[in-house]
Amino acid sequence: MRTGSLATLDEPLKPNQGAAMPVYVIGHKNPDTDSICSAISYAHFLRQTHIPEAVAACCGEVNPRTLFVLKEAGLEQPKLLMDVHPTVGQLCSREVVTAREGEPFFEVYRRMQAHRLHAMPVVDAAGQLTGMLTLSRLLELLMPDAANSDSPRVVRSTVENIRRAFSGTFLNVVDPDRADALLLSVGAMSYENFMPRLRERKPENTLIVVGDRPTIQRPTIQFGARCLVVTGSHGLAQDLLEEARAQGVTVIGSPLDTASTAMMIRGAKVIDSAVDRTFRKFKEKQLARSVRKEVHSLQQELFPVVGEAGELLGVFTKEDLASPEPVRLVLVDHNELAQAVSGAEDAEILEVLDHHRVGGGLISRVPIRFQNDTVGSTCTMVARCFRREALMPPKGIAQCMAAGIISDTLNLSSPTTTPVDRDMLAWLGEAGGFDVQAFAEAFFAMGSALQLSTPRAALRMDCKEYTEGPWNLAVAQIEEVGFQHFERLKPVLAEELEVLVQEKRLAFACLLVTDISLNNSLLLVAGREHLIDAIDYPRLESNLFQLDSVVSRKKQLLPHLARQFARVDVDAAAGSLGR
């Protein structure tokens, strides 16, 4: 990310320079327990080793069983991250120099000079964004063009701002914070020439600057002028001061000469008339790529970013959009872009830690750490990282990794289970000081996903998308104790499966319902008829198959479907609709 989001006169300021951006450790869409737990545990490992800014994230809601694990382990849910395309909220500079409504020229100009800015947002007293101010428009307060209705001598301000402009002293003050449009005049003339000009004014709009000239001071006070400024540190005679109090005339003593005082008074003008109210602003979640074209065609140079309530969050420039810094990711429990968080193709992927097949779509521009192993759980690989580095995980992290292994291997009963899974699970129990078997029983006793969620949510809770040759597929899995809840909800689940096919434009989708007590499964399907007919498992109904001893989507179901679908005639299946 560019850190110079504040437009400047010279080199841009870099208020965020040195601040490390997060590295998100994230699993696949519709995350299961292994995906969530490996993200949390590996982020913890990375923080302890070589990536201190690692943050666990997830791409979907956390299911009830995983929530149980996190509660038992005393861990927070990972950050929900559904899209990693750069947003204006991510690339904007958050340390923003602002101006406030009603501020005088000299304060804002000095602030711009101090920060080398030539544009800044303007906020009200509540911090709400009200406009944008540029240096060129600010300078027009001192040198208005011909189209400006105000004379250069009109000072719209308060007498308090006027006093502060030249570090003056109130000799008498009336309503110091009242804003007026004052017509500035210098009393550098004879009494005879001064009086006709004075009588043309309105007292409430009259501002006279004069040195040690009682012949000008007295008629100004008697006239009831809004403000008299006495220059050169001369002060005011006592009788004139008493008369000023009686007439309600503000009198300010200036330490500067008359010419300098008059010049500084012009700097007391409030900025409000120079503020641009027709500016373009953006919401923090707007994608950078979607606003790039619009911003390019605008004359505006600095763009504010606001929150939902309209509060100012940051600013960015056109240059910030030109090459935004990509989000940095570590992918766990998947390596295919089809399963990754939206925008992963534009992210900087630092590492991959996975135990599935190596799929398509993931291309790195530079070498990355890619760990892929034939174990039953990604959490097994994370646990091995801890042990390899002689790091003892805290109890909660150990329980988290154990839950991932227990879930993905069906408590070491799945055909995907390896000796490494068994070894790591036993080690985690010892390291964390908890009973692994009791923990596993409590995990599976959490109940049925079909009971705890809606059919739509249960179907999409652990659903992965794949590409097999010309076919786009989705394979969901639910683990149950018995099939009674599935039998009751089968018609609704079948409808939701058809909806999934239509929404995702899939050739085929299925739901693998696994009975973890018997290690058998049922397969509910939808999609193109030729693909469904290619399935050679025992068929119970037109859209339902029996899969004895099949419990693994990764190692058993998906490879088998891939072999069967490879034999399907593409032209024949292309026009085939699901049942």
Side-chain angles (χ1 to χ4, degrees):
M1 179 194 302
R2 293 177 178 264
T3 53
S5 292
L6 296 178
T8 64
L9 292 171
D10 302 304
E11 288 298 317
L13 294 178
K14 300 182 184 296
N16 291 331
Q17 192 170 24
M21 298 297 293
V23 173
Y24 293 111
V25 184
I26 188 168
H28 53 74
K29 296 175 182 176
N30 307 313
D32 57 7
T33 301
D34 189 39
S35 179
I36 296 289
C37 290
S38 60
I40 293 173
S41 304
Y42 198 51
H44 181 91
F45 172 81
L46 292 176
R47 287 194 298 272
Q48 304 303 308
T49 53
H50 60 287
I51 305 182
E53 57 272 20
V55 175
C58 63
C59 185
E61 296 298 325
V62 181
N63 67 49
R65 277 186 176 144
T66 310
L67 286 174
F68 162 78
V69 170
L70 299 184
K71 183 177 180 181
E72 286 292 305
L75 300 172
E76 294 184 359
Q77 293 187 46
K79 177 182 177 65
L80 182 62
L81 201 63
M82 300 302 293
D83 196 313
V84 295
H85 285 107
T87 65
V88 294
Q90 291 169 340
L91 62 85
C92 73
S93 181
R94 297 277 175 156
E95 296 182 18
V96 187
V97 180
T98 63
R100 295 186 306 278
E101 294 277 0
E103 278 196 287
F105 169 94
F106 69 86
E107 284 190 351
V108 177
Y109 180 74
R110 289 169 185 169
R111 192 176 307 137
M112 278 189 162
Q113 289 294 89
H115 292 278
R116 306 193 307 280
L117 304 176
H118 66 134
M120 60 167 50
V122 181
V123 298
D124 61 18
Q128 294 294 105
L129 181 68
T130 60
M132 294 295 294
L133 183 66
T134 62
L135 182 61
S136 60
R137 290 188 62 138
L138 184 65
L139 292 175
E140 286 178 9
L141 290 174
L142 299 186
M143 297 173 286
D145 58 29
N148 195 315
S149 60
D150 278 352
S151 161
R153 292 191 297 140
V154 174
V155 179
R156 298 181 183 274
S157 193
T158 67
V159 293
E160 168 61 17
N161 286 340
I162 291 172
R163 180 196 67 79
R164 291 170 52 223
F166 50 79
S167 301
T169 303
F170 280 125
L171 305 179
N172 185 57
V173 62
V174 178
D175 294 336
D177 296 320
R178 188 183 79 206
D180 297 293
L182 303 175
L183 185 59
L184 170 65
S185 293
V186 175
M189 62 192 74
S190 66
Y191 173 81
E192 291 74 14
N193 290 329
F194 177 71
M195 288 307 297
R197 299 189 181 190
L198 183 64
R199 295 189 186 103
E200 294 174 354
R201 309 283 185 81
K202 293 180 179 180
E204 64 272 18
N205 300 123
T206 299
L207 167 61
I208 302 297
V209 180
V210 66
D212 186 19
R213 292 190 179 205
T215 56
I216 300 298
Q217 296 168 355
R218 187 178 301 278
T220 299
I221 293 171
Q222 292 174 342
F223 183 65
R226 174 68 177 107
C227 184
L228 171 66
V229 178
V230 181
T231 64
S233 301
H234 291 299
L236 197 64
Q238 186 61 35
D239 62 324
L240 290 178
L241 185 59
E242 291 176 359
E243 189 168 356
R245 290 170 181 156
Q247 292 289 340
V249 176
T250 292
V251 181
I252 308 174
S254 170
L256 307 178
D257 59 50
T258 300
S260 299
T261 300
M263 180 179 67
M264 297 301 290
I265 286 175
R266 290 187 176 91
K269 294 182 178 183
V270 295
I271 64 170
D272 296 18
S273 62
V275 177
D276 181 5
R277 314 288 179 178
T278 59
F279 62 98
R280 185 70 173 92
K281 60 185 177 182
F282 295 93
K283 294 289 185 69
E284 63 174 326
K285 294 183 179 179
Q286 286 184 258
L287 297 180
R289 64 180 183 180
S290 69
V291 305
R292 187 178 294 118
K293 185 175 181 180
E294 176 188 356
V295 162
H296 181 72
S297 63
L298 297 176
Q299 294 298 315
Q300 185 177 332
E301 296 181 22
L302 188 66
F303 300 91
V305 178
V306 297
E308 292 302 318
E311 72 279 14
L312 178 65
L313 299 178
V315 291
F316 67 90
T317 66
K318 296 177 182 179
E319 288 75 17
D320 292 321
L321 291 180
S323 55
E325 183 176 335
V327 174
R328 296 186 294 168
L329 300 179
V330 171
L331 304 185
V332 295
D333 202 36
H334 71 300
N335 66 78
E336 299 187 46
L337 286 181
Q339 299 172 17
V341 59
S342 295
E345 67 278 6
D346 295 328
E348 181 183 359
I349 298 174
L350 305 181
E351 293 187 40
V352 177
L353 189 73
D354 190 25
H355 68 129
H356 296 92
R357 71 175 192 176
V358 177
L362 180 61
I363 300 174
S364 67
R365 297 179 181 88
V366 297
I368 65 172
R369 180 185 294 271
F370 193 105
Q371 301 181 65
N372 188 271
D373 203 352
T374 57
V375 293
S377 164
T378 305
C379 280
T380 296
M381 301 175 68
V382 180
R384 195 164 54 186
C385 291
F386 274 91
R387 194 161 75 171
R388 183 181 63 236
E389 297 296 327
L391 287 175
M392 294 299 290
K395 180 179 179 180
I397 295 296
Q399 288 179 309
C400 190
M401 288 187 278
I405 298 172
I406 290 167
S407 174
D408 253 27
T409 66
L410 297 180
N411 197 20
L412 306 178
S413 67
S414 168
T416 61
T417 305
T418 68
V420 179
D421 299 301
R422 299 181 188 278
D423 183 28
M424 287 298 100
L425 185 57
W427 179 76
L428 290 170
E430 294 173 4
F434 62 96
D435 187 326
V436 171
Q437 187 57 36
F439 184 68
E441 291 174 0
F443 174 79
F444 287 116
M446 264 306 295
S448 162
L450 294 175
Q451 279 184 303
L452 299 173
S453 306
T454 65
R456 177 183 176 86
L459 174 65
R460 297 170 186 243
M461 194 174 290
D462 181 12
C463 182
K464 295 183 178 180
E465 295 181 35
Y466 305 92
T467 299
E468 287 294 338
W471 317 117
N472 292 326
L473 320 175
V475 182
Q477 185 170 17
I478 297 174
E479 295 165 356
E480 297 281 304
V481 180
F483 294 122
Q484 60 271 25
H485 300 304
F486 169 71
E487 292 294 346
R488 176 173 54 86
L489 295 171
K490 183 171 61 177
V492 183
L493 289 168
E495 291 176 4
E496 289 295 341
L497 207 55
E498 295 285 358
V499 170
L500 181 66
V501 168
Q502 297 301 318
E503 285 184 0
K504 300 286 188 177
R505 298 182 178 181
L506 302 170
F508 175 83
C510 63
L511 171 63
L512 182 69
V513 185
T514 300
D515 181 350
I516 59 178
S517 63
L518 299 176
N519 283 351
N520 291 329
S521 298
L522 294 174
L523 187 68
L524 188 67
V525 300
R528 300 191 185 278
E529 185 175 347
H530 282 69
L531 294 178
I532 295 173
D533 289 341
I535 300 172
D536 60 355
Y537 291 118
R539 197 165 190 165
L540 302 179
E541 300 175 19
S542 62
N543 63 344
L544 186 67
F545 294 84
Q546 181 174 321
L547 281 63
D548 291 338
S549 301
V550 174
V551 295
S552 172
R553 167 177 50 191
K554 174 186 69 175
K555 193 168 184 177
Q556 295 174 296
L557 177 61
L558 188 60
H560 185 77
L561 291 179
R563 287 192 296 271
Q564 299 303 115
F565 292 169
R567 303 189 183 108
V568 175
D569 181 87
V570 175
D571 293 332
S576 169
L577 298 177
R579 298 178 185 274

